Amino acid sequence: SFAAPWVGAPVGGGSGGSGGSLAAGDRRRALRWWASWDEEADEQLTRFLEGALLPEAGIDPDRAPVSRWWRAASAMAVRAPTAEEVEEAGLEDLVDHSVASLRARVRVLGAFNRALCQALPLVHTGYGDALPPFTLGARLSLLRPRVLRSTKASALEAALALSASKVDMLPVTLNR
């Protein structure tokens, strides 16, 4: 359960109903909040998360897959970028968002990356530039700015592990 940036009430728990249902007015505010995040803002938040917030919390996202460190990260303090960070790292799109909005979006990105981490090694990611995107990999390529480095690294490691050969290699020398 967390405080949603568009209302004061918690989301994802509570009594009655479906637990996460929203009233009509809250639904409209939630959709407006969701629409306020575009690809560039998500890319900037991902950079800010990996470059500042996670290291401040003592979490090295490059050392383990997101599924191992996300629980600690979801409890970490989220803050707005400083003026220096905005200027140095190009985080201009984050300035318009409240800390509650940043915190909620960090959790959304984390949940997305945790789910993606499990499925990405099984997805054919070729034809990423095809329009319209006709493979799941092409559709995921459109979400590239929202994928954390550790998710990408975990997928690569899993794919390499699946393709590893157990047979002895025979050395071959080619003369050119």
Side-chain angles (χ1 to χ4, degrees):
S1 167
F2 67 95
W6 57 90
V7 292
V11 171
S15 60
S18 62
S21 64
L22 298 172
D26 288 341
R27 190 174 308 117
R28 281 190 296 276
R29 283 188 291 276
L31 289 173
R32 274 196 303 271
W33 172 80
W34 185 263
S36 72
W37 287 92
D38 61 5
E39 183 175 319
E40 181 63 26
D42 277 337
E43 192 271 330
Q44 289 178 21
L45 182 60
T46 301
R47 239 185 8 239
F48 182 53
L49 178 65
E50 292 176 326
L53 296 178
L54 292 174
E56 287 172 8
I59 299 169
D60 183 2
D62 295 328
R63 301 218 37 163
V66 69
S67 58
R68 291 196 187 139
W69 55 261
W70 187 252
R71 184 164 304 206
S74 64
M76 74 181 180
V78 175
R79 62 172 177 80
T82 64
E84 294 83 28
E85 289 169 328
V86 169
E87 188 175 319
E88 290 174 9
L91 306 176
E92 295 83 12
D93 290 358
L94 301 184
V95 173
D96 297 332
H97 294 280
S98 67
V99 172
S101 180
L102 293 172
R103 184 180 305 112
R105 194 60 177 192
V106 163
R107 289 187 175 177
V108 168
L109 288 174
F112 169 71
N113 276 272
R114 281 183 27 221
L116 185 61
C117 198
Q118 296 171 351
L120 195 56
L122 306 173
V123 175
H124 169 65
T125 56
Y127 313 115
D129 296 330
L131 290 176
F134 56 90
T135 66
L136 178 58
R139 291 180 180 173
L140 287 173
S141 292
L142 296 175
L143 300 172
R144 194 175 306 138
R146 296 167 176 101
V147 180
L148 300 173
R149 283 190 321 258
S150 61
T151 303
K152 295 173 187 176
S154 296
L156 181 59
E157 288 172 14
L160 289 175
L162 290 173
S163 65
S165 176
K166 304 283 190 245
V167 297
D168 292 330
M169 294 300 196
L170 186 62
V172 176
T173 305
L174 296 176
N175 295 326
R176 295 192 227 189

